[in-house]
Amino acid sequence: MKVIIVGGVAGGATAAARIRRLDEQAEIVVFERSGFISYANCGLPYYIGSTIEDEKELTLQTPQSFQDRFNIDVHVHHEVTAIHPETKTVAVKNVETGQFFKESYDKLLLSPGARPITPPFEGMDSGKVFTIRTVEDTLKIKNYIDSRRPASAVIVGGGFIGIEMAENLRDLGLDVTLVEASDQLMAPFDKDMASLIHAQVRRNSIHLMLDTMVQGFADHEDHMEVKLKNTPALHTDMVIMAIGVAPETTLAKEAGLELGIKDAIVVNDQMETSVPDIYAVGDAVQIRNFVTGQDTLISLAGPANKQGRIAADTICGLDSHYKGGQGSSVIKLFDMTAAATGINEKTANALGIEYGKVILSPMNHAGYYPGGELMTLKVLFEKDTYHLLGAQIAGYSGVDKRIDVLAAAIRAGMKAYDLSELDLAYAPPYSSAKDPVNMAGFMIENIKNGLVKQWYYEDLGPLLKSGKVTLLDTRTPAEFNAGHINGFIHIPVDELRGRLDELDTDKPVYVMCQSGLRSYIACRILSGHGLDAYNFAGGYRFYEAVRSEKELSKRSSPCGMDQ
């Protein structure tokens, strides 16, 4: 059996190594257009920022190491230019010499990845405008920074790469402006949770411009002009374009393979395309969303590696199936960590899914143990079935392990209230006896059992205007005096039983505290005395974080603007 693999990195390289482990006799040939067969794609921004200092650390395998260990024939700087399914051959161009030749196959695996989206803006061809997708892109940016010593940079795009590049350039001392066309960074997060990311960006002196459209560039001798819609232009020394990627499927399209969303390659759960003996994996393929069952695109290394393994299994006759992805992801932003899995409110609303949600702000470990840090955790579940839909977390220590627990719970098909029963490791330096994930489960269990009703940030405006409810703040006097919402009655929770006569028993009571715990206790007291009580999800701390960021977004304007 002869297997040709088009493209390396995550999916292609994984498949090649797996095929060899399953079949010692197979002839395996890999063609890679770039000069690197297997590299740490996700580590590229950290090399630019000098967190990773040695360029060699980016290269996970070389053509020679693949040959020595796996007996795989790897050709870098070779581009497959055409696929001929009828003759089971591919046309290949040696990029260095320009020579063309044909190569036959029994099985063909496509792992072409995705390409950076580059709008046809004026000035895109400037030597001061960069994209980052390959090692070559990274070395180009690194060499520019080392040789030109730019003082400022504009990052266009607020996804993973854009934020990671902003952090790393800021760490190098550059004045960084992050420009995003939508009203928030990080699309996997809902806007309220993204507010915590926005605040972290601003705290670290990155100028943040949301709802801002780039229209083009003008290259001047001493600076780059970034033209913006309805906003004065920015002056900068360099521009990084990071507005997203699109499946690289030109080959597949010309070969007549079935295409789907954004021309991604359609595959079944064994990574087989519509053409016999041709398989596809990675950022170029359309997959099933594990949570919703809908077709989707997920451009992440984890799914690509799993798909590569499953394609290899299928090629070698094993019965492996890819059950879909749920977009589990995590990002470092200076000392903060943000992570998500499953779907968010935007997706649930778009699909017409009736959902509930809880928001909590627990400590990452036992409160009495020194060094505890808060995290904000949001969990979504289907209202009728209580199936877990997704989760988002922003915080510091311990965020990554909580999102992984929640991702595993979604994968296992757990009910949201079953989170309360998870037997998770506990010691004071690492967690609490009631882990944050358990606490989310307890809250959902209380909702299911009718012990608590919730209200949310978006409800506040209508409630303030209605005049038909009582708004109650149950924090301490010090907390209340440090900041509160006008229109709320203040009764500390420990005084509530003795001051119930201050409340209108004919009106529902909407309760708030700092984090949501004391207000829950207050709701139970009120319910026990016959009042209709609702607990604010997330507490005043969460409310203030979202409100402050909304206000800041309205007022902020970056340094270096043309005025």
Side-chain angles (χ1 to χ4, degrees):
M1 177 176 65
K2 181 178 179 180
V3 183
I4 288 180
I5 298 175
V6 181
V9 197
T14 294
R18 175 69 172 171
I19 292 170
R20 173 57 72 226
R21 290 194 295 271
L22 295 175
D23 187 343
E24 184 61 24
Q25 309 308 318
E27 181 183 356
I28 307 170
V29 182
V30 181
F31 293 113
E32 167 59 45
R33 179 170 50 190
S34 76
F36 301 85
I37 181 59
S38 179
Y39 57 89
N41 196 298
C42 299
L44 300 180
Y46 299 100
Y47 174 68
I48 293 171
S50 296
T51 299
I52 299 171
E53 297 182 352
D54 188 349
E55 176 189 328
K56 295 179 181 178
E57 294 294 327
L58 296 175
T59 305
L60 305 178
Q61 294 281 355
T62 66
Q64 189 61 52
S65 69
F66 250 58
Q67 177 63 50
D68 293 344
R69 177 165 295 181
F70 298 110
N71 189 26
I72 293 172
D73 191 9
V74 176
H75 300 272
V76 295
H77 294 134
H78 280 67
E79 179 180 6
V80 173
T81 58
I83 301 169
H84 304 291
E86 66 282 358
T87 59
K88 299 187 81 169
T89 60
V90 295
V92 186
K93 177 184 178 181
N94 184 322
V95 176
E96 294 179 330
T97 67
Q99 176 188 2
F100 283 87
F101 60 93
K102 284 188 176 181
E103 193 84 22
S104 64
Y105 67 84
D106 296 309
K107 304 287 185 180
L108 176 65
L109 174 62
L110 304 179
S111 180
R115 66 182 186 278
I117 295 173
T118 52
F121 290 153
E122 177 188 358
M124 277 292 293
D125 57 350
S126 166
K128 298 171 187 168
V129 178
F130 304 89
T131 59
I132 177 168
R133 185 67 180 172
T134 66
V135 174
E136 286 88 348
D137 295 335
T138 306
L139 297 179
K140 188 177 178 182
I141 296 170
K142 181 76 167 172
N143 290 336
Y144 181 87
I145 292 172
D146 291 345
S147 62
R148 301 289 291 272
R149 302 293 179 185
S152 61
V154 169
I155 314 292
V156 183
F160 287 96
I161 294 296
I163 290 177
E164 288 169 352
M165 282 302 306
E167 174 188 355
N168 278 278
L169 293 181
R170 188 73 195 99
D171 282 345
L172 290 177
L174 276 71
D175 185 69
V176 178
T177 299
L178 184 56
V179 181
E180 168 56 45
S182 75
D183 60 359
Q184 70 167 81
L185 301 176
M186 294 298 292
F189 292 80
D190 288 310
K191 193 174 180 182
D192 53 4
M193 294 295 290
S195 294
L196 305 173
I197 298 172
H198 300 168
Q200 176 74 348
V201 167
R202 297 182 198 277
R203 272 195 299 271
N204 285 276
S205 302
I206 294 172
H207 311 299
L208 180 57
M209 300 182 70
L210 301 173
D211 278 320
T212 304
M213 292 286 294
V214 172
Q215 293 189 309
F217 308 102
D219 192 346
H220 300 276
E221 184 176 344
D222 61 342
H223 71 275
M224 194 73 184
E225 182 181 354
V226 182
K227 299 176 182 179
L228 306 173
K229 184 178 181 180
N230 300 325
T231 304
L234 298 173
H235 288 176
T236 187
D237 295 327
M238 64 183 297
V239 175
I240 307 288
M241 293 293 295
I243 62 175
V245 295
E248 178 56 89
T249 56
T250 303
L251 272 177
K253 187 174 186 178
E254 292 175 350
L257 275 65
E258 182 183 353
L259 304 180
I261 302 170
K262 295 183 180 179
D263 279 348
I265 302 170
V266 173
V267 293
N268 63 16
D269 64 357
Q270 292 192 292
M271 311 316 298
E272 296 171 318
T273 72
S274 60
V275 175
D277 296 321
I278 299 181
Y279 306 79
V281 300
D283 295 355
V285 306
Q286 172 182 294
I287 64 170
R288 185 176 73 90
N289 185 299
F290 182 82
V291 176
T292 68
Q294 303 288 316
D295 291 331
T296 190
L297 303 179
I298 296 179
S299 298
L300 294 169
N305 274 279
K306 295 177 183 69
Q307 293 159 21
R309 180 183 176 91
I310 288 167
D313 285 357
T314 305
I315 288 170
C316 293
L318 297 181
D319 188 29
S320 292
H321 299 264
Y322 185 65
K323 297 178 181 178
Q326 61 198 64
S328 299
S329 58
V330 63
I331 187 170
K332 171 187 175 295
L333 183 53
F334 298 97
D335 60 343
M336 174 184 271
T337 301
T341 187
I343 66 170
N344 56 24
E345 289 192 69
K346 291 174 290 186
T347 302
N349 284 324
L351 295 175
I353 298 173
E354 290 288 327
Y355 64 90
K357 60 183 176 180
V358 293
I359 303 167
L360 57 156
S361 300
M363 298 283 280
N364 67 306
H365 62 56
Y368 61 83
Y369 188 86
E373 296 173 305
L374 287 167
M375 66 177 69
T376 301
L377 194 158
K378 180 177 185 177
V379 178
L380 271 63
F381 55 92
E382 195 169 27
K383 267 192 174 176
D384 292 336
T385 67
Y386 285 89
H387 278 123
L388 282 165
L389 297 174
Q392 303 158 47
I393 312 178
Y396 301 89
S397 298
V399 167
D400 53 340
K401 74 173 183 177
R402 270 62 184 225
I403 206 69
D404 283 343
V405 170
L406 289 159
I410 290 173
R411 203 73 180 185
M414 291 177 60
K415 302 288 190 180
Y417 49 79
D418 287 334
L419 296 175
S420 64
E421 297 183 14
L422 288 175
D423 192 350
L424 303 174
Y426 160 61
Y430 301 106
S431 183
S432 301
K434 297 176 182 177
D435 187 86
V437 174
N438 293 137
M439 290 300 301
F442 293 143
M443 293 170 67
I444 296 166
E445 190 176 57
N446 283 337
I447 292 171
K448 173 179 174 289
N449 294 332
L451 295 178
V452 66
K453 293 180 286 188
Q454 296 191 112
W455 65 287
Y456 303 97
Y457 182 92
E458 57 268 25
D459 299 324
L460 180 60
L463 288 173
L464 286 169
K465 293 176 182 177
S466 74
K468 298 178 180 179
V469 303
T470 298
L471 298 170
L472 176 63
D473 190 321
T474 61
R475 294 177 298 155
T476 66
E479 289 171 328
F480 185 81
N481 291 334
H484 61 269
I485 305 169
N486 291 334
F488 274 71
I489 297 171
H490 176 226
I491 303 177
V493 65
D494 293 338
E495 301 176 17
L496 184 57
R497 287 184 181 87
R499 297 175 60 181
L500 290 172
D501 57 351
E502 298 178 29
L503 303 176
D504 186 340
T505 57
D506 293 328
K507 291 182 178 180
V509 185
Y510 285 73
V511 191
M512 176 181 282
C513 74
Q514 194 73 358
S515 68
L517 176 58
R518 284 171 289 173
S519 51
Y520 164 65
I521 294 169
C523 285
R524 294 307 304 148
I525 293 171
L526 295 169
S527 297
H529 288 269
L531 281 78
D532 187 16
Y534 296 78
N535 187 28
F536 180 74
Y540 184 84
R541 184 186 293 113
F542 181 70
Y543 158 81
E544 182 60 19
V546 177
R547 186 204 63 80
S548 296
E549 180 52 35
K550 283 179 179 287
E551 290 299 316
L552 215 55
S553 293
K554 293 176 185 176
R555 301 198 304 265
S556 63
S557 100
C559 300
M561 268 194 181
D562 246 357
Q563 299 294 338

